[in-house]
Amino acid sequence: MALKGKDLVTIDNLTIGEMDAVFNTADAMDNNLADQYGQCRGKVMASLFFEPSTRTRLSFETAMHRLGGRVISVSDPKSTSLAKGESIADMARIVSSYADIIVIRHPWEGAARLVADYADVPVINAGDGGHQHPTQTLCDLYTLRRERGDIHGLKIALWGDLKYGRTIHSLIFALAKFGANIIFCPSPGLEVPEHVLNKLVTEYGGDLERFKGAKRKVKNGAFPVDAAYITPGKPHQLAMMPDVDLDVEMKAGVDALYVTRPQKERFSEEEQEPSDVFPVVDKKLMRGREFRKALVMHPLPRVDELAYDLDADPRSMYFKQAAWGVPVRMALIALLLGMKEVLIAEKPSKQHVYPWYERDYGVACTNPRCVTKQESEKKYLKPGFKVVSRDPLTLRCVYCEHGTEPKFVASTEWHEGKLEFKFYHRADSHWRKQIRIENLIAFDSEKEAEKYGFKPTPARKPRTKKETNAAAD
Ligand code: NCD
């Protein structure tokens, strides 16, 4: 197996073996940075940043320069034809005819996936809105691996904005893949989105224990634990004692505290952060029993949530995380371009294959930041979903991965095409299982269903005396 030609849109695109190959290559390159010049000679990387960035953009560009390749870049969103209303698909087709590899950061969730669909060259997601940031995750895992040797069995506390932090969303799945345990310490109101947790437990196994007694108050300058993810195959006390105060679990000590800043640029109006609920991670907090041995990690930039008094502390990893971004991204670029070949050890892993749902009309993604909701993209882009559950009927957008539960369903096979039988039904009725997936049409509202000529399910004639009486009441 080789990484050549692959896209990295979400962290799910890489297996453990592939990530190990990136890390081993990064180790070798980091030992001898100056010697890598020439590995990607003659290759061009397009660096397209439609959102602010310091570390990610500069480390990608440094990586390509160190490999001897060339970089073409966009760092001001207003300077491209997207500002004139050009679609992402057209931009992707054009840029992929100029460059051998594309790195894209964009505020719309699912934008990197869309670029990958239309580009003929490997595409790397450098952050798409609040969705994912897989290369930051590679830097985070690489740091854990270098500092702790093995990621398996580690206990990592995720802290702060777990709702909008895209680095968090990629990291959760990667930690689960490597068999680490996760303690969730969200800022009140900024908990991990349900669609992320659902995917975590359904696709990665393991147990998610929710902290029932959580009164969402900040205790002693620390966010209370909201939930814990226990990796599969590890008999765990928490699973047997669901009501245990998970703060006790923290007291046993965590291996790393992963801090994030409030991602204010993605806050809704109601979410404007009250200043007293974002405690500062500082020397005093890190003296606590739970953090004594913990590495302090942060994707940066920091604002007020991480004190400068920790910078000289040997547990602080955030500058190393950023610095190692160069060898990690060098390894990734060289491998995706096929300029470096490595042996990839693969363990068989469970693949989740879901039925696909795609229609020109009907249900749309409910996430306003999704790329499918944008005017410039709607003209050509059909919403696409994976049917991840039939009970309740749950569709996962293939671009931004938000979940949606449509309210009404119908079938394309409405009784041999006779229009008088063109009915729609409630999605929680028995029909949701009766209609074959390939015939399914899902609607968000009755109005939508009626717009396409469907009529409500006719009331069934009462069959029993009880039903007749109930109908008469
Ligand atoms: C992060 C990002 O852009 O998501 N930064 C980074 O890439 N290192 C985190 C953040 O902005 O808070």
Side-chain angles (χ1 to χ4, degrees):
M1 247 195 263
L3 276 161
K4 184 178 174 182
K6 270 196 127 178
D7 299 313
L8 177 55
V9 171
T10 71
I11 200 69
D12 309 299
N13 296 139
L14 294 178
T15 63
I16 295 182
E18 289 168 336
M19 285 193 250
D20 281 336
V22 173
F23 300 148
N24 295 338
T25 310
D27 278 340
M29 287 182 162
D30 198 33
N31 274 336
N32 225 333
L33 264 191
D35 260 14
Q36 310 309 319
Y37 198 80
Q39 296 246 17
C40 290
R41 199 191 310 269
K43 296 288 177 189
V44 174
M45 179 182 91
S47 159
L48 312 175
F49 279 73
F50 297 93
E51 254 191 355
S53 171
T54 305
R55 272 150 297 274
T56 309
R57 182 166 75 86
L58 295 183
S59 64
F60 262 116
E61 296 185 3
T62 305
M64 193 53 164
H65 286 302
R66 286 213 178 272
L67 292 166
R70 299 290 172 111
V71 179
I72 52 173
S73 68
V74 169
S75 57
D76 174 10
K78 291 191 214 86
S79 70
T80 72
S81 290
L82 289 191
K84 300 180 191 164
E86 184 172 50
S87 69
I88 291 195
D90 281 358
M91 179 201 63
R93 280 190 275 232
I94 303 303
V95 177
S96 89
S97 70
Y98 302 156
D100 302 291
I101 188 162
I102 296 176
V103 178
I104 172 131
R105 169 170 288 188
H106 200 283
W108 296 339
E109 298 172 12
R113 162 73 202 253
L114 187 55
V115 174
D117 286 349
Y118 284 87
D120 299 326
V121 298
V123 172
I124 303 176
N125 180 6
D128 58 336
H131 177 217
Q132 286 219 6
H133 190 349
T135 65
Q136 179 61 46
T137 296
L138 292 178
C139 301
D140 302 338
L141 297 179
Y142 184 70
T143 306
L144 285 171
R145 199 175 101 129
R146 273 182 80 148
E147 294 296 320
R148 288 283 187 259
D150 193 3
I151 299 165
H152 192 268
L154 293 183
K155 195 192 292 172
I156 315 291
L158 304 181
W159 177 280
D161 185 348
L162 310 190
K163 180 173 180 183
Y164 295 117
R166 55 191 170 199
T167 67
I168 291 286
H169 304 154
S170 311
L171 184 58
I172 287 173
F173 300 124
L175 289 174
K177 214 174 245 199
F178 276 95
N181 304 296
I182 309 171
I183 306 260
F184 298 93
C185 310
S187 166
L190 298 176
E191 293 82 14
V192 181
E194 281 305 312
H195 67 269
V196 174
L197 294 177
N198 283 342
K199 181 172 160 184
L200 175 66
V201 287
T202 52
E203 294 187 19
Y204 292 86
D207 291 317
L208 184 75
E209 301 291 338
R210 307 230 186 195
F211 181 41
K212 284 192 193 147
K215 289 283 165 285
R216 313 300 303 126
K217 285 217 182 78
V218 177
K219 290 186 193 168
N220 320 318
F223 290 130
V225 179
D226 161 74
Y229 169 77
I230 317 299
T231 194
K234 187 173 177 240
H236 200 279
Q237 273 185 325
L238 285 175
M240 288 169 250
M241 296 190 282
D243 291 332
V244 77
D245 181 340
L246 291 180
D247 283 340
V248 172
E249 179 68 6
M250 283 288 267
K251 291 271 160 20
V254 296
D255 296 289
L257 176 64
Y258 191 98
V259 187
T260 55
R261 73 177 170 93
Q263 312 277 307
K264 286 187 188 167
E265 66 275 32
R266 299 188 194 110
F267 281 9
S268 63
E269 260 169 45
E270 311 82 70
E271 283 167 335
Q272 289 312 319
E273 172 222 0
S275 57
D276 60 333
V277 296
F278 224 96
V280 182
V281 173
D282 57 8
K283 243 186 170 130
K284 185 164 163 262
L285 183 92
M286 292 305 293
R287 274 199 284 267
R289 212 166 69 195
E290 56 273 58
F291 302 121
R292 205 166 296 157
K293 288 182 290 170
L295 303 175
V296 186
M297 300 180 73
H298 194 306
L300 300 179
R302 66 175 138 182
V303 190
D304 297 317
E305 70 289 346
L306 180 62
Y308 284 78
D309 70 3
L310 276 173
D311 292 357
D313 191 302
R315 292 168 297 178
S316 294
M317 289 294 124
Y318 30 96
F319 296 124
K320 284 187 179 174
Q321 272 168 274
W324 286 333
V326 173
V328 167
R329 292 182 169 112
M330 284 170 76
L332 184 68
I333 294 168
L335 289 165
L336 297 185
L337 282 175
M339 304 309 279
K340 185 133 197 108
E341 295 242 354
V342 287
L343 204 65
I344 296 171
E346 262 335 321
K347 295 185 199 124
S349 62
K350 212 161 80 189
Q351 286 285 327
H352 281 264
V353 184
Y354 295 109
W356 189 269
Y357 174 87
E358 192 177 77
R359 297 242 169 257
D360 288 325
Y361 60 99
V363 72
C365 180
T366 49
N367 171 15
R369 276 181 265 262
C370 178
V371 71
T372 61
K373 304 287 269 197
Q374 312 307 321
E375 286 310 321
S376 55
E377 317 308 312
K378 269 187 193 165
K379 287 176 245 175
Y380 65 97
L381 193 58
K382 278 189 202 172
F385 299 91
K386 290 176 182 171
V387 184
V388 292
S389 157
R390 297 208 76 181
D391 194 12
L393 179 64
T394 312
L395 308 180
R396 183 193 295 156
C397 174
V398 292
Y399 294 95
C400 72
E401 300 197 277
H402 275 238
T404 172
E405 289 181 24
K407 306 261 178 328
F408 300 94
V409 292
S411 170
T412 51
E413 295 284 288
W414 54 80
H415 298 261
E416 286 96 38
K418 288 191 190 136
L419 281 180
E420 63 269 34
F421 294 126
K422 200 176 168 187
F423 296 125
Y424 68 87
H425 321 277
R426 282 168 54 119
D428 58 3
S429 67
H430 69 282
W431 285 100
R432 78 177 179 281
K433 285 192 181 155
Q434 228 136 309
I435 299 171
R436 299 229 302 267
I437 296 274
E438 59 271 31
N439 298 334
L440 183 73
I441 314 172
F443 295 107
D444 289 322
S445 65
E446 294 182 270
K447 209 169 136 211
E448 257 263 314
E450 280 160 26
K451 189 167 125 195
Y452 289 97
F454 290 89
K455 294 189 290 269
T457 324
R460 185 163 60 78
K461 281 204 186 108
R463 288 198 196 121
T464 60
K465 208 165 165 191
K466 206 166 144 201
E467 282 183 356
T468 314
N469 293 342
D473 282 345

